[in-house]
Amino acid sequence: MTRASLLSSRPFSQRDGAVLLNTLLSALLFTAGVASVHAQEQSLEKPPAPPAAVTPAAAAPATSATPANPVKADIESGRYLAIAADCMACHTAPAGKPYAGGYAIESPLGTIYATNITPSKTAGIGNYSEAQFARALREGVRADGSHLYPAMPYTSYAMLTDSDVHKLYSYFMNAVTPVNEPASSQTKLPFPFNVRMSMTVWNAIFLDTKRFVPDASKSQQINRGKYLADGLAHCSTCHTPRNFLMGEKGGSALAGAPLGPWHAPNITSDKVSGVGGWSDAELMQYLKTGHVEGKGQAGGAMAEAVTNSFQHLRDDDIAAIVAYLRTVPPVRDATQSKPAYSYGKAVSDESALRGTRGPNEHNSLNSGAVLFSGYCASCHAASGAGSNGQDYPSLFNNTATGSHNPANLVSAILYGVERKVGDKEILMPRFDAHSYVNPLTDQQIAMIANYVLKQYGNPEVQVSEAYVAQARKGGEQPILAKLQPYIAPAIGIAIVLLLLIIFAVISVRRRRRIPF
């Protein structure tokens, strides 16, 4: 099926109605993937990727799904590719076994649980042939024919070469320890989103199954960077805005998009709205560590990507991604006049606050300045300059506070920031209902955010209590997700109307046959 077949000029039929309905359902299912809020349940307790020197899975007899005498080089290459693709992030639950599934991906339509992708023959993918593995990876179709939800980014993995798919298969089948228990939880979305077959229509419209072909006019480095960024690392899944049916918008590649309560920023080559004002060294440092002084730091899903993937990639591959990003057409946000990291300076209200409240005074935390002093200044400094070494970053010259979109500032306060680089752990505590420091109300978080924006960031941005409440619930829902409660009733009404029409047509025909 092609777009042309769906948009042809023939009369609209009942079949077309079914196709349109399935397309809408499929788009909603895709919303479940791209609007996931996995950063809310982020954890540094995930085990590291299996070490490089791994023994092929214990002397299992060779079958079509388990190659005999696999080449060690393919296994090691496959391990590296799995890290570049960040498979660990979603398929390993906090404190769980590698690739055993059970990781919860929150979505507006319900919770999607990652599956067991170890080579277990009873609970994982141990019975998959290489062709079945490739189809699941690049087309989103399991060995049993069921469709995967695009929370698994097969739309990006579709461009992987046959060689790299083979290496990934060799790694998963021979170097990952089988876990014979199924994932601790299974995906059970409500009707009609549990009808996986509806993904067929969406895939027909939006899934590009073409494999990667190097651009002869570009350097080998840029081609490598595109393959990594657009394919394995699936950057567009988060950073490209989406249309009404949740397909990626053409002409807006990597221009930034909402990601649950967070916002994946513009990473095009634009010098104001994108990363064009970052040096190559800064971009490389950010991908390897998640932090660049005077620019920004990774939180949410990007912190997970740094922790599980980017920091482990070779420097030449990180340099290739940077080289490719330089070639991405710039996309300017008309609301921005200067880069987000250019806002703010050191300033402190601490001296003015001393002695203004008694130690036991009731409701004394009644302003953004007082709340900042009590909850933020001990780490970020009273002046907002951050700590020595910037483990606690400066709040000025910071993309989270200088952006015209306050999503990442509010989400950092609500959900905290966690990432681990090497042996170093970076942690900002969360202040939502799960806080082990002190849960803050929507009003308190709004007051802190507005104080920080006025003092250190973009003073034109304001945060309301309603905005914080929405972020606490997982962010603004896409339009299609808002329609979800009405879909089942609409289907029921449509069926009733169809039956009434059929009954009316039959009745009219019978009357015409009755002689007077």
Side-chain angles (χ1 to χ4, degrees):
M1 184 183 295
T2 64
R3 295 190 194 194
S5 66
L6 289 177
L7 300 176
S8 63
S9 58
R10 59 180 170 77
F12 191 82
S13 67
Q14 179 182 340
R15 179 177 178 275
D16 293 321
V19 168
L20 179 59
L21 178 60
N22 278 336
T23 302
L24 292 175
L25 297 182
S26 303
L28 278 165
L29 291 172
F30 194 67
T31 303
V34 300
S36 59
V37 193
H38 32 162
Q40 295 186 41
E41 299 302 329
Q42 198 177 1
S43 173
L44 296 181
E45 297 178 18
K46 286 187 179 182
V54 227
T55 305
T63 67
S64 60
T66 308
N69 302 317
V71 179
K72 184 177 180 180
D74 283 349
I75 295 175
E76 292 306 319
S77 293
R79 176 182 180 275
Y80 183 81
L81 292 168
I83 292 173
D86 206 5
C87 304
M88 178 73 75
C90 288
H91 285 280
T92 305
K97 297 178 181 178
Y99 303 118
Y103 182 73
I105 301 173
E106 303 297 336
S107 84
L109 307 178
T111 303
I112 296 176
Y113 292 96
T115 55
N116 181 329
I117 57 169
T118 72
S120 167
K121 294 183 180 296
T122 57
I125 59 172
N127 292 315
Y128 275 52
S129 68
E130 185 168 333
Q132 290 170 329
F133 177 84
R135 192 181 184 205
L137 191 67
R138 299 192 293 200
E139 299 177 34
V141 180
R142 300 188 306 202
D144 63 3
S146 298
H147 283 262
L148 298 172
Y149 296 127
M152 202 286 277
Y154 60 84
T155 52
S156 294
Y157 296 157
M159 67 189 299
L160 298 187
T161 63
D162 291 343
S163 174
D164 279 352
V165 170
H166 170 73
K167 292 171 183 176
L168 282 164
Y169 182 74
S170 296
Y171 167 66
F172 276 102
M173 291 300 177
N174 297 281
V176 172
T177 302
V179 177
N180 293 322
E181 298 83 26
S184 55
S185 299
Q186 303 296 317
T187 300
K188 294 180 181 178
L189 297 181
F191 178 83
F193 308 116
N194 57 350
V195 183
R196 291 176 181 258
M197 186 56 68
S198 62
M199 290 306 309
T200 305
V201 178
W202 192 94
N203 288 340
I205 300 173
F206 295 112
L207 175 60
D208 185 353
T209 58
K210 293 179 181 177
R211 308 295 172 243
F212 177 73
V213 177
D215 184 342
S217 67
K218 306 293 184 183
S219 69
Q220 183 177 356
Q221 183 187 47
I222 291 174
N223 276 304
R224 174 65 174 171
K226 178 177 176 61
Y227 182 68
L228 287 166
D230 290 353
L232 284 162
H234 52 278
C235 301
S236 66
T237 301
C238 293
H239 289 275
T240 298
R242 297 185 177 276
N243 58 32
F244 177 72
L245 293 179
M246 302 309 295
E248 294 182 9
K249 286 185 178 179
S252 299
L254 306 182
L259 189 65
W262 298 83
H263 183 80
N266 183 327
I267 56 172
T268 71
S269 59
D270 189 83
K271 292 187 176 182
V272 172
S273 301
V275 295
W278 296 50
S279 69
D280 288 358
E282 287 173 331
L283 287 172
M284 288 189 66
Q285 180 184 338
Y286 185 83
L287 290 173
K288 294 287 280 188
T289 69
H291 175 75
V292 175
E293 185 173 353
K295 289 293 194 300
Q297 58 287 317
M302 189 63 195
E304 289 187 334
V306 170
T307 297
N308 296 300
S309 180
F310 288 120
Q311 69 166 311
H312 303 293
L313 300 189
R314 298 188 301 265
D315 287 349
D316 61 316
D317 276 344
I318 295 294
I321 293 174
V322 171
Y324 166 64
L325 292 179
R326 297 298 190 202
T327 71
V328 175
V331 178
R332 175 67 58 87
D333 187 326
T335 64
Q336 280 187 272
S337 58
K338 61 180 183 178
Y341 56 78
S342 64
Y343 284 88
K345 61 182 179 180
V347 58
S348 174
D349 287 337
E350 198 69 22
S351 60
L353 298 176
R354 297 304 179 194
T356 59
R357 297 285 187 274
N360 298 315
E361 187 170 345
H362 185 59
N363 290 332
S364 61
L365 300 177
N366 56 8
S367 73
V370 173
L371 287 164
F372 178 85
S373 177
Y375 290 104
C376 312
S378 60
C379 293
H380 293 282
S383 66
S387 63
N388 292 333
Q390 292 292 290
D391 286 346
Y392 298 104
S394 166
L395 296 177
F396 51 86
N397 302 140
N398 186 321
T399 54
T401 61
S403 174
H404 67 290
N405 186 331
N408 291 342
L409 171 61
V410 171
S411 291
I413 300 171
L414 273 172
Y415 304 117
V417 173
E418 282 185 85
R419 64 180 182 272
K420 183 175 181 180
V421 178
D423 295 328
K424 187 175 185 179
E425 295 186 9
I426 302 298
L427 174 66
M428 171 183 165
R430 60 197 298 165
F431 291 95
D432 66 352
H434 301 289
S435 177
Y436 57 81
V437 178
N438 189 31
L440 297 179
T441 66
D442 295 341
Q443 181 185 37
Q444 290 172 322
I445 291 175
M447 287 195 295
I448 291 173
N450 286 325
Y451 177 80
V452 168
L453 289 165
K454 182 179 178 181
Q455 290 285 96
Y456 310 113
N458 188 339
E460 297 179 0
V461 178
Q462 287 286 311
V463 174
S464 66
E465 288 183 54
Y467 184 91
V468 178
Q470 179 177 270
R472 195 186 291 270
K473 293 178 181 178
E476 183 177 7
Q477 290 186 321
I479 295 175
L480 287 173
K482 293 178 181 178
L483 297 175
Q484 187 270 337
Y486 310 104
I487 290 179
I491 293 174
I493 292 171
I495 291 173
V496 171
L497 289 175
L498 182 60
L499 292 174
L500 289 174
I501 291 170
I502 293 172
F503 177 77
V505 169
I506 293 174
S507 298
V508 169
R509 287 182 175 178
R510 283 181 175 175
R511 286 196 195 112
R512 288 177 178 176
R513 291 174 183 171
I514 298 175
F516 290 96

